[in-house]
Amino acid sequence: MHRVTSVDLDPAHRPLLDEIERYYDAVPRGAARVEDFGPLSLFVREGEGWPYYARPALGHSGPAVTAEDVRRVLARQRELGAPQAFEWVAEHDPLLRAAVEEAGLAVHEHPLLVLGPDEEPALPTPGLPAGVSVRVLSPADPDLASATAVPHLAFGEPGTGLGLAGPDELAVTAEQLAADGAVARIAGRIAAGSTVLAAAVQDGTALCAGQHNPVGTVTEVAGVGTLPAARRRGLGLAVTAALVAHARANGVRTVFLSAADEDVARIYRRAGFRPFATALIAEPAATEPAGA
């Protein structure tokens, strides 16, 4: 992807950027405490589950972030044993990149795409493969374990081409995630209404799954991943369409997502999403970027 070195913000985009920024600030607060570092907020996970990150402090109006601010957060993340990671939107906080790079972090770019209130999703036109159905899962769904596991394998073999991991590896991963409580945690989030999980299922096995996480009238589609051995069958597009349809049916006006790269972004454009901004993730240079 072309490196974002400067940002020219269209003033017409500011309301949507602000809306998404409020969403990014709100989502971790249900499961994390927030530590104040002036222009930066550090979200610290409380209990088991996915670790969080630092990002720009919502509504900060003081001095711009510096490399020293970033180093203070990094020191605290190391002290906590948390990932040394920052996430933000380039167009909303254009000065942060220089500070994190001066502090020694590598920045990874991911296309941010949106489906606005007046934009209709483009439902997939190809039919699903024989025997495959797409549905939103309940907390007690028998396929919840494999649906929780399949994105782990998908992001373990990044890209859109056929991969090696198949049903055998999926069964092992699902068993591991059930044993460590990950399946129970996602079931709890579904029951609470904070996560909606959809999956493409065949013969009792989730071949693709993803989620959206609504906050008011905004939601992010995240973690859509297809079992590597089952790629190139339109499953990711079908799951994305099901998530968007569920969001719209439940009062969500703005749906957005960040894609791993331009190849993945093209899939989402087929579902009606339009490129809007650039999501940035900063991590130590030796760390590979997380899947988006």
Side-chain angles (χ1 to χ4, degrees):
M1 180 190 299
H2 175 69
R3 173 186 164 90
V4 177
T5 55
S6 64
V7 178
D8 295 319
L9 177 63
D10 183 342
H13 290 170
R14 173 57 67 174
L16 182 54
L17 279 170
D18 288 344
E19 183 179 50
I20 290 174
E21 192 67 15
R22 289 191 295 271
Y23 174 93
Y24 275 136
D25 182 80
V27 165
R29 290 178 181 269
R33 71 177 187 272
V34 184
E35 297 190 2
D36 180 12
F37 287 83
L40 297 168
S41 292
L42 173 60
F43 294 95
V44 181
R45 181 84 202 193
E46 297 193 313
E48 298 296 323
W50 190 258
Y52 287 113
Y53 38 77
R55 58 175 298 103
L58 186 67
H60 176 74
S61 59
V65 64
T66 66
E68 185 54 36
D69 293 321
V70 175
R71 293 188 186 101
R72 288 173 56 224
V73 174
L74 289 171
R76 178 59 173 155
Q77 289 172 322
R78 289 192 294 269
E79 179 184 354
L80 293 167
Q84 297 173 65
F86 292 72
E87 297 188 9
W88 74 102
V89 178
E91 289 77 1
H92 194 277
D93 294 278
L95 301 180
L96 181 52
R97 181 169 193 156
V100 300
E101 289 183 331
E102 184 180 339
L105 299 181
V107 177
H108 313 290
E109 300 179 8
H110 304 282
L112 188 69
L113 300 99
V114 68
L115 194 64
D118 300 320
E119 297 168 324
E120 292 299 321
L123 298 177
T125 52
L128 289 170
V132 175
S133 62
V134 177
R135 67 175 188 273
V136 172
L137 275 58
S138 72
D141 195 293
D143 298 317
L144 186 61
S146 63
T148 303
V150 69
H152 288 258
L153 294 174
F155 297 127
E157 292 186 51
T160 59
L162 285 173
L164 299 177
D168 291 343
E169 291 80 5
L170 181 62
V172 171
T173 301
E175 184 176 350
Q176 292 170 341
L177 292 176
D180 72 11
V183 178
R185 286 192 292 272
I186 193 72
R189 291 182 57 82
I190 294 171
S194 55
T195 289
V196 175
L197 184 67
V201 180
Q202 184 178 47
D203 298 328
T205 298
L207 300 180
C208 177
Q211 59 186 254
H212 80 87
N213 303 288
V215 175
T217 61
V218 182
T219 195
E220 180 182 21
V221 172
V224 177
T226 301
L227 190 67
R231 287 173 178 158
R232 301 295 180 92
R233 300 167 68 184
L235 301 180
L237 186 59
V239 167
T240 299
L243 292 168
V244 172
H246 180 279
R248 287 286 201 237
N250 286 273
V252 171
R253 290 170 49 79
T254 300
V255 184
F256 75 99
L257 57 86
S258 59
D261 53 35
E262 291 294 345
D263 287 340
V264 176
R266 278 194 289 271
I267 296 173
Y268 290 122
R269 287 200 294 269
R270 290 174 55 199
F273 288 84
R274 62 179 172 85
F276 177 68
T278 307
L280 300 181
I281 298 176
E283 301 169 316
T287 302
E288 292 297 325

